[in-house]
Amino acid sequence: DQQVKQNSPSLSVQEGRISILNCDYTNSMFDYFLWYKKYPAEGPTFLISISSIKDKNEDGRFTVFLNKSAKHLSLHIVPSQPGDSAVYFCAANSGGSNYKLTFGKGTLLTVNP
Amino acid sequence: DAGVTQSPTHLIKTRGQHVTLRCSPISGHKSVSWYQQVLGQGPQFIFQYYEKEERGRGNFPDRFSARQFPNYSSELNVNALLLGDSALYLCASSSYLTGGNTIYFGEGSWLTVV
């Protein structure tokens, strides 16, 4: 039962263009969403997060949009750079009594020079 | 400031053996969680400890156990290793018990079971 889904295993974009990574979730108890970036042989690095009470959060080139009614969020990277090439994981947290993150399977982003 | 540190970084074990993985959280962080990531999947939650008490457990067999020490470091133990236990084991450190964006991961311990 995949509660967090990243339906695109891979995405390829040109340098300077926008990258849009998508994530869908099924558990309406999730109230916090995070995006992580992962290079091979390294642990996930926190990128940006959003609370369920917001619909947008920006941090530099990264913007996350949340559509609660559709149970959908997306990460926009503008402009994309070759160094952004990595696997991006969407994760969700339902707060409450523990700190469990539920992850999607990830999307491999390749930014071509 | 040091980030989350894990040891060992790589190890190879034989089926049936036992393994201990170690994690030191970011200074000041009292919560440690463990995740397993197999190839092609996202990390899967194994345990969370806060103030030395288990606060959450994922869907893993009893062969998996963990503990947190007074200095907030943690160990993950896996007994009777199976080939399917081969994975990247990630430790995550956080300063609060619930929610928020203060969850930081170490670089992981790569376990290969042969």
Side-chain angles (χ1 to χ4, degrees):
Chain A
D1 178 24
Q2 193 81 15
Q3 296 187 61
V4 176
K5 299 178 184 179
Q6 294 177 256
N7 291 320
S8 298
S10 63
L11 174 69
S12 182
V13 300
Q14 288 299 120
E15 181 178 4
R17 298 290 187 105
I18 184 172
S19 295
I20 300 176
L21 297 104
N22 293 304
C23 178
D24 297 296
Y25 62 96
T26 58
N27 188 341
S28 52
M29 296 301 292
F30 288 145
D31 60 3
Y32 212 90
F33 303 90
L34 306 91
W35 284 93
Y36 286 85
K37 172 182 177 180
K38 187 177 184 301
Y39 294 115
E42 293 185 9
T45 301
F46 170 75
L47 271 179
I48 191 169
S49 62
I50 187 166
S51 165
S52 60
I53 64 173
K54 296 186 176 182
D55 55 18
K56 177 182 175 182
N57 188 29
E58 283 184 83
D59 185 0
R61 297 186 298 115
F62 302 92
T63 303
V64 57
F65 295 92
L66 175 63
N67 182 333
K68 282 187 64 178
S69 61
K71 293 190 175 68
H72 176 84
L73 61 155
S74 60
L75 174 68
H76 293 212
I77 307 173
V78 184
S80 300
Q81 300 173 353
D84 296 329
S85 297
V87 177
Y88 288 77
F89 289 101
C90 171
N93 183 288
S94 56
S97 63
N98 66 60
Y99 219 11
K100 172 184 175 181
L101 289 179
T102 302
F103 282 84
K105 291 187 177 183
T107 297
L108 174 63
L109 172 65
T110 303
V111 181
N112 301 302
Chain B
D1 282 348
V4 180
T5 58
Q6 293 187 242
S7 64
T9 54
H10 294 82
L11 69 165
I12 300 174
K13 291 286 188 177
T14 304
R15 275 181 300 175
Q17 284 189 318
H18 163 270
V19 68
T20 298
L21 307 177
R22 295 177 177 84
C23 172
S24 292
I26 293 171
S27 178
H29 285 192
K30 298 181 178 180
S31 179
V32 170
S33 298
W34 288 94
Y35 289 78
Q36 179 197 64
Q37 186 183 12
V38 299
L39 200 62
Q41 301 291 320
Q44 296 284 315
F45 174 77
I46 309 175
F47 286 109
Q48 187 214 353
Y49 277 77
Y50 179 76
E51 287 281 17
K52 303 179 286 295
E53 291 186 6
E54 182 183 305
R55 296 302 186 101
R57 174 184 285 253
N59 189 23
F60 280 81
D62 292 343
R63 299 184 295 108
F64 288 76
S65 64
R67 55 179 175 167
Q68 187 176 33
F69 298 100
N71 67 352
Y72 304 110
S73 67
S74 178
E75 283 183 355
L76 175 69
N77 294 283
V78 187
N79 292 323
L81 285 167
L82 304 173
L83 296 179
D85 295 330
S86 296
L88 176 65
Y89 288 85
L90 295 162
C91 176
S93 160
S94 53
S95 60
Y96 299 110
L97 175 61
T98 62
N101 61 352
T102 57
I103 307 173
Y104 301 96
F105 284 85
E107 296 199 350
S109 294
W110 286 95
L111 171 65
T112 302
V113 183
V114 297

